Structures are given as C-alpha cells and as structure tokens.
Amino acid sequence: MRHIESIERLIKAFAGLPGIGEKTAARLAVFILNAKKEYAEELAGAIAGVKEAVRLCRVCAGFSNSDVCPLCADGSRDASTVCVVGDYRDMVAIEASGSYRGAYHILHGLIVPLRGRGPEEIKIKELVERAKTNGIREVILGMPFNAEGETTALYIKKVLEPFGIRLTRIATGVPAGSLIEYMDPRTLGRALEGRKEA
Amino acid sequence: MRHIESIERLIKAFAGLPGIGEKTAARLAVFILNAKKEYAEELAGAIAGVKEAVRLCRVCAGFSNSDVCPLCADGSRDASTVCVVGDYRDMVAIEASGSYRGAYHILHGLIVPLRGRGPEEIKIKELVERAKTNGIREVILGMPFNAEGETTALYIKKVLEPFGIRLTRIATGVPAGSLIEYMDPRTLGRALEGRKEA
C-alpha cells in the first residue's frame, strides 16, 4: 500500500534524522498525525526557528544567537584557558560538571580518516588562528579516548606545538561510581598507568 | 549551562515525540543545527504540511487527503468485509501482506481501562454506525493478542452482535520463520489449540 503523499513525505523527512529508521519514522509520523495541531506547529516552528536564530560564535565556533556567544562574552571566565571539544554537547556536559571556568573551542566533529573526514573538515584552522592572536596560555584537549579522539588530539598537539602554549589532556580512568569488575581492560590499563599518590 | 533559547525550545519539542528522551532530543537538535538548511526546512514543512493535508476518511476513519480515502473509494475492493485495526500502521502492515482485498476500519487506539482509555475514546461508535448503514457481511477483528487487543476485540464483538454480521478474528500462532524453541509459552499454547489438519 502506498502512503498518502504528505505522510510519505513526513516519514522520509523523519528517517533523515540520526538513529531513526523507516519503522520509527512511520511511528513518529502517526504520532504527529494524532497529536494536537499546536504541538506539530511548535515542533515545525522550533526546527525552522533554530536555523534562523543560531549561528557559530566568532570566537569558539560554538552555537550562538549573537556574533560572540554568551560564554565567550562572559568577562568572569578565564579566556586564557581553552578546552577543545568535538561537539557542542561535550561542552554542555563539561559545563554541567561545574568545575571549569575557562573558555571552549568547538571542533564540530573529530578527525575520521576512514570516513574521509580530515582536519580541514572541522574547526581546527579556527583554533590555530585563535592560538595566533589571543593570549591563550593553556589548551586542554577534551576529546574522548577512542581512535577518533586520539587522532584528533594528536593532530592538534602537532599544529599547536609551535605556539609554545601549554597543552594538556583531560584525565582517563575509571568513571565515578563505576564498578571495577565491569570496566574494560583498556580503561583499567590506563587507570593503572595514570595512578596517583593516595 | 543553559542552552541558547532556540536550542532549548527545539530540544523540548523533540522530547515530546514518543521514545525520544532528553539526551536523544539534544542529539537531534545538534543534528538539525549542523544539517543543511534545506533539510531542516523540509522536515519542518513536512510536519506542518501533514497536519494541513491529512484528515480522517469519513468511511474508515483512516488518514486521508480527501473526504473518502483512496482505499475506500476503490471500487475493486470488497466493501462488505471490514478488517478492524487499532492503528493506521496495522492497516499498512496488513496491506503489505498482499492477501487482503476488503475494507478497513481504523480505531486509532485500543481500549486500555488502566490508562483511562475507554471505548468512547476510540472510533468504535463510528464502526457501529457503519455496521448500521452499510452492507457489511463480515467484520474481521484485527487486534493484537495482548490484554488491550483482547479487551477491544471482546467489546467490539459485544456491540456488533445485534447486527447479525459474521465476526471473525485473525489467527494467532507461531510467526512465519520463527523458531519454535524461542516462542513464548502463550504463543505455543495458542498455536496448539488452533492446530489444523496437515
């Protein structure tokens, strides 16, 4: 059976979202069909609205509704320390920890050579420009400890080394609250390697 | 950290979709932020558009872009046999089997007393009206074999009995291709009960 054209169009559009397959897209489409008109209008408006309202911050490349994002414009933060992260959500997660008062740089992706995503596809050039002009004393590499994160961290280390900026990497080890017995061998190996005086 | 207002609005709207939690909603929002503007516009347009274009068919209560849906208007189908299903996607699934040439009636839900969804919340009144006026010879109860499906089937059986229409129920048993060893006891019990001459 062919769906009605406008339903087919909606299923196809939903299926374009990450992690949403054909079946889930159909479920979401039927949900929209059954939902209150106000909700459908709100969702449509929010999607269109975010593309209108949001651009990239001129300093950190994070999402912003102005030329410079509120975080970069916040004079109470330490602009000389820049934590480099792969994704906007990584920044949100680090902010939620409440233990960082420096600036950020959002790469919008990590280097994945196998998928043809090289350094020029992400905001590394912008980071280098920032290192050239601003009074940055420390760059914290906040990438995850997987192949893509390590590749990206290594690459950034290489391109930033000429600037004489202190380069650090966030710590790796056993997550808070996790049981040792459930940890993978690599995490435990790194936790042992990185051990500190108790 | 507070999200930018328009991002916050989008995350909240996405989180209103079924099966989408706060984390997934944030992931979808970032995807939209990084996506091509054309895609975001297409998704927003498809959501708004479907609510404009689609209404319920006057005959079967299925989704339609006209007063009577293409399926009900199709003269080559047997309008005297009506398969009652809970959801639009159930109809799509049955149509995909290619073995049914009758009509449908879409309930838009099943009876769930515990969640306060009684018979009057779904399109049963419309089914009774249809039984009164149309030349229906058989009603096939196409609900699933769970508590809600059984409750709904039983209720419809009761309200349609006075009309002297033949009432049937789709067969229950072991799904095609499934291994016996993985079947739950209830399914196997029903498959044995419903056994046929080989």
Side-chain angles (χ1 to χ4, degrees):
Chain A
M1 176 201 171
R2 284 203 53 243
H3 287 285
I4 294 158
E5 199 190 329
S6 55
I7 300 180
E8 199 131 29
R9 177 187 169 206
L10 181 56
I11 293 173
K12 209 178 143 212
F14 269 134
L17 291 170
I20 307 283
E22 189 78 17
K23 288 249 170 189
T24 308
R27 191 160 66 97
L28 296 180
V30 169
F31 177 83
I32 293 291
L33 283 160
N34 289 323
K36 286 213 176 76
K37 197 160 193 267
E38 291 75 42
Y39 172 69
E41 278 166 1
E42 171 57 20
L43 179 58
I47 292 166
V50 87
K51 296 299 272 188
E52 291 299 328
V54 176
R55 56 183 124 171
L56 298 190
C57 168
R58 188 166 49 80
V59 182
C60 72
F63 296 123
S64 175
N65 47 7
S66 48
D67 190 37
V68 173
C69 77
L71 208 143
C72 286
D74 182 348
S76 78
R77 301 199 58 127
D78 171 17
S80 72
T81 306
V82 175
C83 182
V84 183
V85 292
D87 189 273
Y88 171 78
R89 284 169 301 160
D90 299 335
M91 178 183 77
V92 173
I94 291 173
E95 279 297 286
S97 78
S99 52
Y100 183 65
R101 292 295 300 162
Y104 289 93
H105 189 87
I106 322 295
L107 297 173
H108 293 284
L110 296 171
I111 298 172
V112 196
L114 286 174
R115 269 193 259 157
R117 200 201 281 147
E120 62 291 337
E121 312 288 325
I122 60 177
K123 305 283 178 193
I124 290 183
K125 202 174 74 239
E126 289 79 355
L127 178 63
V128 174
E129 287 306 311
R130 203 172 162 187
K132 271 184 201 161
T133 53
N134 282 29
I136 297 174
R137 282 189 305 195
E138 179 177 353
V139 166
I140 303 170
L141 301 170
M143 286 102 240
F145 294 89
N146 56 19
E148 299 160 17
E150 301 285 21
T151 307
T152 309
L154 219 66
Y155 184 88
I156 293 177
K157 200 174 160 220
K158 202 184 73 191
V159 295
L160 288 190
E161 244 157 16
F163 297 96
I165 294 169
R166 182 180 176 210
L167 281 169
T168 56
R169 183 102 167 80
I170 55 164
T172 177
V174 176
S178 288
L179 294 176
I180 305 295
E181 58 180 325
Y182 295 138
M183 284 294 110
D184 64 290
R186 265 181 73 214
T187 297
L188 285 179
R190 287 178 179 238
L192 284 166
E193 246 176 68
R195 68 189 179 280
K196 290 185 182 172
E197 299 303 325
Chain B
M1 175 201 172
R2 283 205 53 240
H3 287 285
I4 294 158
E5 200 191 330
S6 56
I7 300 180
E8 199 131 28
R9 178 187 169 205
L10 181 57
I11 292 173
K12 210 178 142 211
F14 269 135
L17 291 170
I20 308 283
E22 190 78 16
K23 288 247 170 189
T24 307
R27 191 160 67 97
L28 296 179
V30 169
F31 177 83
I32 293 292
L33 282 161
N34 288 324
K36 286 212 177 76
K37 197 159 192 270
E38 291 75 43
Y39 171 69
E41 279 167 0
E42 170 57 20
L43 179 58
I47 292 166
V50 86
K51 296 299 273 188
E52 291 299 328
V54 175
R55 56 183 126 171
L56 298 190
C57 167
R58 187 166 48 81
V59 181
C60 73
F63 295 123
S64 174
N65 48 7
S66 48
D67 189 38
V68 173
C69 77
L71 208 144
C72 284
D74 182 347
S76 78
R77 300 200 58 128
D78 172 18
S80 71
T81 305
V82 175
C83 182
V84 183
V85 293
D87 189 273
Y88 171 77
R89 285 169 300 160
D90 299 335
M91 177 182 79
V92 173
I94 291 174
E95 279 297 285
S97 78
S99 54
Y100 183 65
R101 292 295 299 162
Y104 289 94
H105 189 86
I106 322 295
L107 296 173
H108 293 284
L110 296 172
I111 299 171
V112 195
L114 285 175
R115 269 194 259 157
R117 200 201 280 148
E120 62 291 337
E121 311 289 324
I122 60 177
K123 304 284 179 193
I124 289 184
K125 203 173 73 239
E126 289 79 354
L127 178 63
V128 174
E129 286 306 310
R130 203 171 162 187
K132 271 184 200 163
T133 54
N134 281 28
I136 297 173
R137 281 189 306 194
E138 180 178 353
V139 167
I140 304 169
L141 301 170
M143 286 103 240
F145 294 89
N146 55 18
E148 299 162 16
E150 301 286 19
T151 307
T152 310
L154 217 67
Y155 184 88
I156 294 178
K157 200 174 161 223
K158 201 184 73 189
V159 294
L160 288 190
E161 243 158 16
F163 297 97
I165 295 169
R166 184 180 174 209
L167 281 169
T168 57
R169 184 99 167 81
I170 55 164
T172 177
V174 177
S178 288
L179 295 175
I180 304 295
E181 58 180 325
Y182 294 136
M183 285 295 111
D184 64 291
R186 265 181 72 215
T187 297
L188 285 179
R190 287 177 179 239
L192 285 166
E193 245 177 68
R195 68 190 180 278
K196 289 186 182 171
E197 298 304 324

